[in-house]
Amino acid sequence: MAFKNSVVIFSLIIILSLFPLSSPLHYQHHHHFRPPGIVPSAASLSTFLPQITPSPAPAAVSGGGEWTLLHRSVGISAMHMQLLYNNKVVIFDRTDFGPSQIILPFGKCRHNDEAIPEDCTAHSILYDVATNTYRPLMVQTDVWCSSGAVTSDGRLVQTGGYHGGDHKIRLFTPCEDELCDWIELSQSLAVQRWYSSDHILPDGRVIVVGGRRAFSYEFFPKNQDSSKNGVFYFPFLIETTDPKEENNLYPFLHLLPDGNLFVFANRRSVLLDYKKNRVLREYPVIPGEKRNYPATGSSVMLPLRLHPGGVDGPQRISAVEVMVCGGARGGAHMMAAEGVYVAASRSCGRLRVSDPDPRWRMEAMPVGRVMPDMLILPNRDVIILNGAERGTAGWESAEDPVLNPVLYRPSEPDPSKRFTVLNPTTIGRLYHSAATLLPDGRILVGGSNPHVQYNFTGVKYPTELSLEAFSPPYMGSEYAYMRPSIMSVEGSTESLIVSYDQKFSITFSLMQPEGECTVTMVAPSFTTHSFAMNQRLLVLYVAGVQQTSSLTHRITVRAPPTANVAPPGYYMVFVVHQGVPSQCAWIRIK
């Protein structure tokens, strides 16, 4: 999909080649860019067509960005999202809501539903980014508040859920024939996993951590030599549980370049050696509010920048930093049950975990947020969107949706200039909303079901079945001439396989080649409940550049050095020119 625009670009190249070149490109590691639904019948087609319309125009904000309504309804509420390497997104909510607004194809029905005796509606869809269409999928058991990760061969492994689904392991394998669907494995998790978090590991396994009343972790596939059915007790999860409220569910997981796992829950964080089941160090407590479900904040590991390690030496990473934003005061969830909605946290903390004596450095967002989604953009900025100004996660537990995304520039030296407020949406996204980065640099946004069932009337914040896209400022038409277009990767296919530390080249075109370029590599995330699991961005080391024609260039980069730095699997690769990213090309590292 990264190459669909090449014909148009080549036509432009022929025209623009008559004009003189601007100043040459510079390849550096810095940048200065500032720049309710239709219900299909049982006779409907299984693929549903686009409904692209501009979102109603709210008041403009200097930070920019544009919202587009993709579909008024996709039939389900987008509680969970995962982008796959074929540019399709698996989206699902839960099976015990009652009937959704999209029919399963071919007369399929489930008869094990906890809400109704027979359910012939879908609770999962497959969304095609390129065509803006979708088709229903069938999950067998309840996937409510579950977790997931993509395996090294590109399959979505999805773990846990509620009641009949809380021990289940499901797979979704990408395909192009419109026939692939969920497969539920006969193998089960050792304990129930509801509100747990997953992460892909350097050896290709997936670690599943925590969950409600699950103070442990386990692996998929299981260790062959592990005792106690492959479950490893993790006392940290008991220590961080608040009475009645918990505030440590969906723990934030980040795989560090040393191969160990950073685990954050409530207000505390530790470095876990999951191979030996021991905590290597405990980090300082973050100041301020609680940060995990239901006092839900969000977290990212900031971009990892690769540097050469001397003459043909191993690559190195200068610093590793984790950021945590938003959340709610202790007791806020209990107060919301009484109709009192406490102001959400405005604070963000950055912790340089690679320092010998790390300390949280605190900053303030323009507005408080509970249930924010944090995503790393291809140009290394962080976008914060969705959520509410007051309350916590949970049924009917929040008020005042935050409609404006916020852009955060981690590399800006002046803290007062790091946050920029962007243009607002008109759709509030509260509990059970989600967002994910798309291959063209947009953000897919959906969901919001802050009620026990699908409630569309009689409530202040109705269930949202709509799907939107947010285009960050770098996608504005005024920056079109700055946007690179990837033509090939090593002159090979879109799913090029590269080895660790291997050099590979990207050929791209550029209408006006001036300023700096970088190459970034982004792991697609499994997003639910305000946490994008497995998310990471690497800034690749540029080994050389060659101008191949007036408007085309070949840039040679080195792949990440080890699986600790980049676990095996599929990644989006972007060429970024002065803060403006190309559409991605997919590579697989193994």
Side-chain angles (χ1 to χ4, degrees):
M1 307 305 275
F3 309 106
K4 283 185 175 290
N5 294 326
S6 60
V7 174
V8 175
I9 293 297
F10 277 120
S11 299
L12 288 169
I13 289 171
I14 293 171
I15 297 170
L16 294 171
S17 62
L18 299 174
F19 296 89
L21 277 174
S22 301
S23 56
L25 284 166
H26 303 286
Y27 298 87
Q28 302 175 4
H29 289 289
H30 306 282
H31 75 281
H32 306 282
F33 173 69
R34 296 292 183 266
I38 298 172
V39 184
S41 69
S44 300
L45 293 174
S46 62
T47 298
F48 296 88
L49 299 175
Q51 296 177 356
I52 299 179
T53 58
S55 294
V61 177
S62 60
E66 181 180 357
W67 289 89
T68 302
L69 182 64
L70 301 175
H71 290 276
R72 291 183 177 86
S73 171
V74 293
I76 64 170
S77 186
M79 187 187 301
H80 312 75
M81 290 185 180
Q82 174 69 62
L83 172 67
L84 304 173
Y85 67 83
N86 61 352
N87 295 342
K88 297 181 181 181
V89 184
V90 177
I91 301 174
F92 54 98
D93 54 18
R94 57 185 285 191
T95 63
D96 61 345
F97 274 175
S100 73
Q101 293 196 6
I102 180 171
I103 304 299
L104 285 166
F106 313 120
K108 292 181 180 179
C109 298
R110 288 185 308 107
H111 298 91
N112 61 344
D113 193 88
E114 299 172 27
I116 53 178
E118 180 181 76
D119 189 356
C120 302
T121 63
H123 297 277
S124 177
I125 64 170
L126 185 64
Y127 174 73
D128 189 317
V129 177
T131 62
N132 189 37
T133 59
Y134 58 95
R135 65 179 178 91
L137 301 174
M138 185 174 184
V139 286
Q140 297 290 337
T141 52
D142 200 352
V143 288
W144 179 30
C145 300
S146 53
S147 52
V150 174
T151 60
S152 59
D153 60 359
R155 294 178 297 165
L156 171 59
V157 56
Q158 201 278 317
T159 53
Y162 185 60
H163 280 185
D166 63 6
H167 284 69
K168 298 298 182 179
I169 303 172
R170 310 165 190 89
L171 291 179
F172 186 88
T173 302
C175 70
E176 297 298 337
D177 59 11
E178 302 298 316
L179 296 178
C180 49
D181 210 333
W182 286 102
I183 296 174
E184 198 161 281
L185 302 185
S186 56
Q187 175 187 349
S188 295
L189 296 166
V191 298
Q192 67 173 26
R193 299 291 173 184
W194 189 33
Y195 298 93
S196 62
S197 295
D198 293 1
H199 207 298
I200 185 73
L201 297 174
D203 61 7
R205 292 179 300 161
V206 174
I207 188 170
V208 187
V209 180
R212 179 157 284 169
R213 297 180 295 277
F215 308 114
S216 61
Y217 59 89
E218 59 184 292
F219 301 92
F220 174 79
K222 296 182 184 296
N223 286 352
Q224 296 300 317
D225 57 350
S226 62
S227 59
K228 298 181 180 178
N229 203 23
V231 178
F232 298 85
Y233 178 55
F234 192 15
F236 172 75
L237 296 176
I238 293 182
E239 297 165 7
T240 53
T241 301
D242 289 341
K244 298 183 180 179
E245 281 196 332
E246 297 170 292
N247 290 326
N248 73 340
L249 300 181
Y250 278 121
F252 304 143
L253 309 179
H254 300 294
L255 179 71
L256 302 189
D258 64 2
N260 294 305
L261 197 65
F262 177 89
V263 184
F264 183 104
N266 201 320
R267 295 176 59 220
R268 292 173 52 190
S269 49
V270 295
L271 184 63
L272 174 66
D273 180 347
Y274 55 84
K275 296 178 181 177
K276 297 181 180 179
N277 189 29
R278 62 177 183 173
V279 172
L280 300 178
R281 71 183 302 183
E282 180 159 358
Y283 297 98
V285 174
I286 190 171
E289 293 80 4
K290 312 285 185 174
R291 308 290 178 166
N292 294 81
Y293 181 89
T296 301
S298 191
S299 177
V300 296
M301 182 169 66
L302 293 177
L304 302 174
R305 184 184 302 168
L306 296 169
H307 303 274
V311 180
D312 295 326
Q315 297 182 78
R316 58 182 179 84
I317 296 170
S318 54
V320 183
E321 197 166 7
V322 169
M323 186 173 184
V324 176
C325 291
R329 282 171 39 192
H333 186 70
M334 304 300 293
M335 294 176 71
E338 303 299 323
V340 178
Y341 302 97
V342 179
S345 174
R346 287 186 60 197
S347 71
C348 286
R350 290 172 61 167
L351 183 70
R352 189 169 290 191
V353 295
S354 54
D355 284 357
D357 185 23
R359 290 289 182 268
W360 288 100
R361 294 180 295 163
M362 304 305 295
E363 300 178 63
M365 295 184 289
V367 65
R369 271 185 211 257
V370 64
M371 300 178 288
D373 282 287
M374 295 177 66
L375 299 172
I376 307 174
L377 299 177
N379 66 353
R380 293 178 279 160
D381 291 341
V382 177
I383 192 167
I384 307 172
L385 70 173
N386 297 341
E389 288 190 52
R390 295 187 295 133
T392 70
W395 303 126
E396 314 289 349
S397 296
E399 290 272 349
D400 299 336
V402 185
L403 302 178
N404 295 82
V406 168
L407 194 66
Y408 180 81
R409 299 182 175 91
S411 58
E412 167 57 55
D414 184 350
S416 67
K417 297 179 180 178
R418 288 179 186 156
F419 288 102
T420 302
V421 178
L422 304 179
N423 283 332
T425 179
T426 58
I427 302 173
R429 304 287 183 181
L430 300 174
Y431 187 45
H432 290 154
S433 58
T436 195
L437 176 68
L438 294 179
D440 58 8
R442 294 176 300 157
I443 307 298
L444 185 68
V445 182
S448 189
N449 180 246
H451 318 286
V452 177
Q453 300 292 331
Y454 289 117
N455 289 359
F456 305 105
T457 59
V459 290
K460 189 171 183 178
Y461 305 110
T463 299
E464 272 297 336
L465 307 185
S466 63
L467 207 59
E468 293 178 286
F470 179 69
S471 298
Y474 55 56
M475 298 196 73
S477 58
E478 65 270 33
Y479 301 113
Y481 72 96
M482 298 170 60
R483 185 168 297 115
S485 179
I486 294 177
M487 300 161 62
S488 65
V489 179
E490 287 281 351
S492 187
T493 64
E494 293 178 71
S495 354
L496 177 71
I497 296 177
V498 299
S499 302
Y500 288 101
D501 212 33
Q502 172 190 337
K503 290 183 180 180
F504 65 97
S505 297
I506 302 169
T507 299
F508 64 97
S509 62
L510 193 58
M511 296 182 191
Q512 186 168 324
E514 61 177 3
E516 60 195 9
C517 272
T518 56
V519 176
T520 58
M521 181 171 146
V522 183
S525 59
F526 180 90
T527 304
T528 189
H529 289 73
S530 305
F531 181 48
M533 304 176 194
N534 303 288
Q535 181 177 213
R536 70 202 296 116
L537 182 147
L538 300 104
V539 184
L540 300 185
Y541 167 64
V542 175
V545 59
Q546 177 186 5
Q547 186 167 345
T548 56
S549 72
S550 59
L551 294 178
T552 60
H553 299 75
R554 180 180 295 116
I555 185 168
T556 300
V557 295
R558 284 176 68 177
T562 67
N564 288 345
V565 176
Y570 285 89
Y571 289 79
M572 295 180 279
V573 172
F574 297 87
V575 175
V576 184
H577 171 233
Q578 296 194 67
V580 180
S582 65
Q583 180 157 319
C584 84
W586 287 93
I587 66 167
R588 182 183 178 188
I589 189 166
K590 59 186 297 189

